[in-house]
Amino acid sequence: SVDPGTLSRWLDRGVDDEGREVVMFDTRNDYEVPYGTFDRALDLNITSFSQLPGAIRPLAGRLAGKTVVSFCTGGIRCEKAAIYMR
């Protein structure tokens, strides 16, 4: 996890403390995203969390070498998404 102050600094700079690009990764379902998200967040436009593993696979090259910060509504999706991204 990332504390709020660190995340704020990273988002202001666009990179983490090691200089890697920071990508905000929205793991929520498509109907949840319109309620609010981070600027430039990566949204997979999925209708069900069960679609997440298949939606992540094609992004491996695009996310390589970047710091990916996932977020969701309650926490469990973020934890599972981190496992799928390894």
Side-chain angles (χ1 to χ4, degrees):
S1 76
V2 180
D3 67 81
T6 299
L7 181 59
S8 178
R9 182 176 66 249
W10 290 358
L11 293 177
D12 287 345
R13 294 177 17 203
V15 295
D16 68 11
D17 295 335
E18 280 78 47
R20 292 182 301 249
E21 181 182 347
V22 174
V23 177
M24 295 300 295
F25 183 52
D26 195 335
T27 63
R28 299 174 299 159
N29 295 329
D30 60 353
Y31 66 88
E32 296 170 291
V33 175
Y35 290 101
T37 191
F38 287 90
D39 290 338
R40 299 178 308 278
L42 177 59
D43 166 27
L44 297 177
N45 197 33
I46 57 176
T47 58
S48 169
F49 186 77
S50 63
Q51 296 172 317
L52 187 83
I56 287 176
R57 272 185 229 108
L59 299 173
R62 179 176 165 193
L63 298 177
K66 299 178 182 177
T67 295
V68 179
V69 179
S70 62
F71 63 97
C72 57
T73 305
I76 191 67
R77 287 186 222 178
C78 299
E79 296 295 325
K80 288 184 176 184
I83 293 167
Y84 291 131
M85 287 191 282
R86 291 185 182 167

